[in-house]
């Protein structure tokens, strides 16, 4: 990808650091409102693909509560509410059936408490456990073996790949392995924004709408009580948003206006300033994150812009 400067770290009026990246903002009709860098180059969407994967499973017949679809599309923080939601999607299966690795909770407060109490890493605590629970349940519904359910050749993953192509509007560039062990389908930022816009504008009663409705009703399950992705969905009515590792972000408003971007160096501190700026281009008012300003005592010493 040919990236451009997106975020500057400024200290006392001088640029101290720069984060490059690529971004796109789409109008409801799919036309480009703003673009920077190379939004049509292949990239790995990481966890921003989860709403697409959840939509694929809804199209395969998965029917969950709104909380169930929210946790299926989540990179959750590992709070008790997240573990309970993932267990509910498992439907009586043991968490040992999950194909994702064992891990500590993603949220640092939860992780510290977990370690302090002497608890070992668990598959349920992994931030992707909701998605994997939904995958197991979808296999059961369709009569597919859960053995090898993460293999790209498994019927579940082939069906997910087909839905990703349908939502993004073009073929999958490359298949890799995500951090949780699931297939990772490379696409483009334009494709990502197009896909999430389709989910956000899906008609009530459709499988796609079940995912959007779950995310909107339970933003606290998609991220967590101390996560910016949850805070921004609470601040902007009807917004669906998803963050991903390596500083990837996607979001869409109810009218289909959508954004997608990636910070080239994977620096997460640059993600929220770009999220706020691109949503502002969509007409949404998002306050700057607390990390945008830096203080020593009461003196401002730097900012991200």
């Amino acid at each position: 990808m040919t990236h451009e400067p997106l975020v500057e770290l400024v200290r006392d009026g001088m640029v101290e650091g720069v984060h490059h990246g690529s971004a796109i903002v789409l109008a409801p009709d799919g036309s480009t409102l703003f673009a920077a860098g190379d939004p049509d180059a292949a990239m790995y969407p990481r966890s921003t693909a989860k709403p697409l994967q959840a939509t694929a499973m809804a199209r395969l017949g998965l029917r969950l509560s709104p909380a169930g679809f929210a946790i299926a599309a989540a990179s959750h923080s590992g709070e008790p509410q997240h573990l309970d939601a993932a267990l509910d999607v498992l439907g009586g299966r043991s968490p040992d059936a999950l194909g994702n690795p064992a891990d500590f909770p993603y949220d640092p407060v939860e992780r510290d408490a977990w370690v302090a109490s002497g608890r070992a890493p668990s598959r349920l605590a992994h931030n992707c456990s909701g998605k994997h629970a939904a995958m197991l349940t979808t296999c059961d519904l369709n009569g597919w073996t859960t053995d090898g359910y993460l293999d790209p050749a498994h019927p579940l993953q082939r069906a997910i790949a087909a839905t990703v192509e349908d939502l993004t509007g073009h073929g999958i560039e490359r298949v890799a392995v995500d951090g949780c062990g699931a297939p990772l389908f490379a696409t483009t930022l334009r494709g990502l924004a197009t896909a999430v816009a389709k989910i956000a504008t899906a008609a009530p009663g459709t499988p796609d709408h079940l995912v959007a409705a779950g995310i909107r009703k339970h933003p606290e399950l998609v991220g967590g009580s101390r996560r910016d992705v949850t805070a921004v969905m609470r601040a902007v009515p009807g917004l669906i948003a998803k963050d991903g590792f390596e500083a990837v972000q996607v979001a869409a408003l109810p009218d289909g206006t959508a954004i997608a971007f990636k910070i080239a160096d994977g620096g997460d501190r640059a993600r929220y300033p770009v999220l706020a700026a691109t949503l502002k281009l969509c007409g949404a008012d998002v306050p700057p994150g607390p990390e945008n300003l830096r203080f020593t005592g009461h003196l401002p010493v730097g900012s991200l812009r």
Side-chain angles (χ1 to χ4, degrees):
M1 300 177 77
T2 305
H3 297 291
E4 295 182 23
L6 294 184
V7 177
E8 295 176 334
L9 174 62
V10 180
R11 184 181 298 271
D12 195 22
M14 188 172 78
V15 175
E16 185 177 28
V18 179
H19 291 279
H20 291 68
S22 293
I24 191 163
V25 181
L26 297 180
D29 64 0
S31 60
T32 302
L33 292 176
F34 171 83
D38 198 355
D40 293 302
M43 49 78 68
Y44 290 126
R46 301 303 299 268
S47 285
T48 63
K50 286 178 178 174
L52 285 64
Q53 293 165 315
T55 298
M57 290 185 275
R59 291 183 180 184
L60 288 168
L62 184 65
R63 294 297 178 265
L64 301 171
S65 66
F69 275 114
I71 202 68
S75 299
H76 65 73
S77 289
E79 299 171 48
Q81 60 180 337
H82 301 127
L83 307 188
D84 290 344
L87 278 173
D88 188 58
V89 175
L90 273 171
R93 280 183 179 270
S94 167
D96 292 336
L98 295 167
N100 56 263
D103 202 357
F104 292 109
Y106 178 75
D107 180 87
V109 175
E110 297 296 328
R111 182 171 61 248
D112 288 351
W114 192 286
V115 173
S117 66
R119 301 177 71 177
S122 80
R123 295 180 185 273
L124 190 65
H126 191 284
N127 75 90
C128 299
S129 64
K131 177 181 76 175
H132 283 259
M135 287 181 172
L136 291 172
T137 300
T138 303
C139 286
D140 290 343
L141 285 171
N142 287 274
W144 297 327
T145 178
T146 56
D147 292 338
Y149 78 93
L150 297 179
D151 188 322
H154 190 281
L156 171 67
Q157 302 302 337
R158 292 204 306 268
I160 290 175
T163 296
V164 169
E165 291 182 330
D166 177 61
L167 289 170
T168 60
H170 58 73
I172 291 168
E173 301 275 356
R174 185 184 295 267
V175 181
V177 181
D178 211 340
C180 66
L184 177 63
F185 303 118
T187 183
T188 66
L189 290 171
R190 186 183 301 276
L192 261 184
T194 299
V196 176
K198 289 178 180 177
I199 296 169
T201 57
T206 62
D208 300 25
H209 182 261
L210 294 174
V211 176
I215 292 172
R216 288 177 178 134
K217 186 171 182 179
H218 294 285
E220 75 284 354
L221 295 181
V222 178
S225 61
R226 288 173 284 269
R227 296 272 293 283
D228 60 55
V229 70
T230 292
V232 75
M233 284 192 282
R234 286 174 170 164
V236 180
L239 182 75
I240 63 173
K242 186 69 192 72
D243 52 345
F245 280 157
E246 294 304 312
V248 186
Q249 179 78 55
V250 68
L253 292 163
D255 67 355
T257 310
I259 65 103
F261 64 84
K262 173 178 170 50
I263 306 302
D265 60 12
D268 200 62
R269 73 177 184 181
R271 183 179 50 79
Y272 191 84
V274 180
L275 176 61
T278 49
L279 287 177
K280 186 175 181 179
L281 291 174
C282 299
D285 186 17
V286 181
E291 74 281 3
N292 286 18
L293 295 175
R294 297 180 173 198
F295 292 86
T296 297
H298 296 292
L299 295 174
V301 296
S303 65
L304 291 166
R305 70 183 183 192

